[in-house]
């Protein structure tokens, strides 16, 4: 049975969920890079759910609805928490990138905004970790605090419309011990590497689709 966690929003708590701040496992953050810009653009393509060239609050919530539609029947509390945390991501991370105040964030605004917002991996618990935990809990149906390759494909296949073969290759590269699963810490380390890391050889760079050299 999945452990229920106390509902929190980013505005209510800045306490890391892990024992120590999650930082990229490869490559320290040393400022924005062309690689990071390419990763932000790749994430943008998946986040623009309706394909109209901008990200809105509705797009962000629709990202969660993809999973809720499949898993909420038995995990309504986790599904509700995911919606709450995604709304907080929009309010506290993405909406401030909207430079012209039209309620929409285009690719240029998102890239420029990410350069300003995603500068310190120590902020991962506030900016990304809470919503990432919701996704992890929603997909971890047996509650063993691990996700296997099929569950990994369900997360990132839906998030980026990725093919099974791509997800399998990324999962295998991240599963360094060959256990066939990723635990919660490894999952967070991969996401932290994606959004904050600069290492061109990190397999986490391709979580949301292959990032071209």
């Amino acid at each position: 049975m999945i452990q229920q966690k106390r509902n929190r929003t980013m505005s209510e708590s800045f306490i890391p969920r892990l024992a120590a701040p999650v930082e990229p496992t490869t490559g320290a953050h040393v400022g924005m890079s062309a690689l990071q810009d390419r990763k932000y653009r790749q994430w943008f393509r998946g986040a623009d759910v309706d394909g109209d060239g901008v990200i809105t609050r509705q797009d962000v919530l629709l990202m969660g609805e993809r999973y809720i539609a499949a898993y909420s029947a038995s995990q309504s509390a986790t599904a509700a928490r995911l919606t709450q945390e995604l709304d907080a991501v929009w309010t506290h991370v993405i909406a401030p990138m909207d430079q012209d105040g039209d309620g929409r964030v285009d690719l240029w605004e998102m890239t420029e905004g990410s350069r300003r917002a995603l500068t310190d991996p120590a902020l991962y618990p506030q900016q990304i970790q809470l919503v990432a935990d919701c996704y992890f809990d929603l997909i971890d149906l047996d509650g063993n605090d691990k996700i296997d390759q099929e569950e990994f494909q369900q997360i990132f296949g839906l998030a980026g419309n990725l093919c099974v073969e791509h997800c399998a290759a990324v999962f295998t590269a991240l599963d360094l011990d060959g256990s066939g699963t990723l635990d919660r810490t490894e999952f967070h380390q991969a996401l932290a590497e994606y959004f904050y890391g600069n290492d061109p050889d990190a397999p986490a760079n391709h979580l949301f689709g292959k990032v071209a050299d």
Side-chain angles (χ1 to χ4, degrees), residues 14 32 102 139 153 160 177:
F14 289 148
M32 293 298 103
D102 65 353
I139 205 73
Q153 156 65 23
D177 61 2

Side-chain angles (χ1 to χ4, degrees), residues 2-185:
I2 293 179
Q3 180 182 2
Q4 295 299 321
K5 297 180 176 66
R6 179 169 59 89
N7 285 348
R8 299 183 297 173
T9 64
M10 294 181 186
S11 61
E12 293 170 339
S13 175
F14 289 148
I15 301 174
R17 213 177 272 261
L18 302 180
V22 177
E23 297 188 6
T25 55
T26 53
H29 182 92
V30 293
M32 293 298 103
S33 69
L35 169 63
Q36 286 172 301
D37 281 353
R38 294 197 298 273
K39 289 192 290 185
Y40 300 150
R41 288 195 293 270
Q42 186 68 34
W43 180 85
F44 182 94
R45 283 190 278 271
D48 178 17
V49 177
D50 59 12
D52 64 353
V54 295
I55 298 175
T56 64
R57 178 176 178 272
Q58 185 63 24
D59 283 311
V60 173
L61 295 181
L62 283 172
M63 285 192 287
E65 289 179 11
R66 291 171 173 174
Y67 300 90
I68 291 171
Y71 300 105
S72 64
S74 61
Q75 301 186 68
S76 57
T78 303
R81 186 162 56 92
L82 175 60
T83 299
Q84 179 183 17
E85 297 297 352
L86 282 170
D87 202 20
V89 168
W90 167 258
T91 301
H92 297 287
V93 180
I94 301 176
M97 299 178 185
D98 176 19
Q99 295 192 25
D100 58 10
D102 65 353
R104 308 184 304 169
V105 176
D106 62 25
L107 178 58
W108 182 84
E109 288 174 320
M110 191 278 302
T111 303
E112 291 297 309
S114 296
R115 290 172 178 169
R116 296 191 303 271
L118 302 177
T119 59
D120 184 356
L123 295 178
Y124 176 84
Q126 300 100 284
Q127 294 178 321
I128 298 169
Q129 183 173 327
L130 296 178
V131 71
D133 268 326
C134 293
Y135 280 114
F136 191 103
D137 291 340
L138 199 62
I139 205 73
D140 178 26
L141 294 178
D142 59 8
N144 68 350
D145 229 29
K146 297 178 185 295
I147 56 174
D148 60 24
Q149 182 174 312
E150 182 179 355
E151 292 168 331
F152 184 88
Q153 156 65 23
Q154 290 170 332
I155 294 176
F156 292 101
L158 285 173
N161 298 315
L162 306 179
C163 65
V164 173
E165 292 76 13
H166 173 88
C167 286
V170 175
F171 180 88
T172 299
L174 292 173
D175 181 21
L176 297 178
D177 61 2
S179 66
T181 63
L182 298 179
D183 63 25
R184 193 178 296 267
T185 298

